Amino acid sequence: MKLRMNWIGAGALAICLSAATPALSMDSPDAWITTKVKMSLLTSDSVSMATAVNVDTIDGKVTLHGVVPTDAEKTKAEDIARSTSGVKEVQNLLQVVPASQKKVVKVADDKLQKNVEAVLSRDKAVESVHDGVVLLAGNAKTLSEHQRALEDARAVPGVKQVSSEIKSPDRLGDDEISTGKGISKSSSATSAAHDTWITTEAKSRLLTTSGVPALDINVDTDHSVVTLFGTVPTESAKKLAEAEVKKVGSVRAVRNDLQVVSKTMAHDVKESDEALTKNIDKQLEDRSELKDGKIDVQVENGVARLTGEVANQSDRLIAMQTTRGVPGVRSVIDDLTVASP
């Protein structure tokens, strides 16, 4: 499906964000990167099935998973991800599934406008519709709310593309990322924030579970349905990962797309607890994001316990991921506290 945007001025093509810092090159949390990649995909005129693309970020590495109809769209999706501030690497796992048999829905622009307006919250509106291309305007209290407006509009039958002039913050609030306080589980306007919360909690649970290669597992959540993708060494690890994610509150279902890949060539790295502690301390000290934190590390039989204080929820997840990535660490116990804003 080729989409045309000639009628929209260059200014309308960009996602307009008030109260924003233009680029977070120095501090781009994984959840923020994931949200920005999703928003860019949803507003692209070259990725027709953006709602079928899963996105996850671990330590700046973005993984794309799902289906697109052409090789060109697969390449474009990767280009969009790579161009996002803070992205270090992109793993493109998108599958090309031709959509030649999919029925094209043609809806008159005036009717399409009413259909899109019906799924938006009151503080957002359809600025215009032309040949199935929808331009949104209004305000969003959070970046997650902005993302959900794009997703809801793009999912309406007949919509070919969504462009946005919605004004919103350009950062994810701490509550959106992990605490979940004040987030409605049913409201369409805030459910994207709840999805981000579920994703972060699922990752935290996997990072603290022995027997699960958490750094090889990607997590994406849409309307409280979690998709797991990536690789695990055994079928039991695949089942364990799913079981742990199901324990996260408000998860409606888990789609387990994990691939079992036997690591016959891999060998267990066994180091003394003392050596592991020193290695973890060094890795944490090398993370510029954690320079303001005070983290203590204790290791017993390969299980690392983190205590102390970090500045925010993003730093908490970075500390856990960094620790779990140290060879020899079997699991992580998170006893970190987050400083008050």
Side-chain angles (χ1 to χ4, degrees), residues 1 3 41-42 44 46-54 65-70 73 77 94-100 102 154 160:
M1 181 186 301
L3 308 178
L41 290 172
L42 288 164
S44 171
S46 302
V47 183
S48 61
M49 295 176 60
T51 55
V53 177
N54 297 117
H65 169 270
V67 295
V68 289
T70 66
E73 291 199 20
L94 290 170
Q95 293 183 319
V96 177
V97 180
S100 57
K102 183 179 180 181
R154 189 67 184 264
K160 298 178 181 178

Side-chain angles (χ1 to χ4, degrees), residues 228-242:
L228 300 178
F229 51 103
T231 60
V232 290
T234 63
E235 188 67 32
S236 61
K238 177 178 180 177
K239 293 179 180 178
L240 179 58
E242 179 176 342

Side-chain angles (χ1 to χ4, degrees), residues 149-178:
L150 299 178
E151 289 176 342
D152 289 345
R154 189 67 184 264
V156 173
V159 173
K160 298 178 181 178
Q161 186 192 345
V162 177
S163 188
S164 177
E165 289 183 347
I166 294 174
K167 296 179 180 179
S168 74
D170 195 31
R171 287 182 179 271
L172 289 169
D174 221 30
D175 288 349
E176 294 175 82
I177 296 175
S178 189

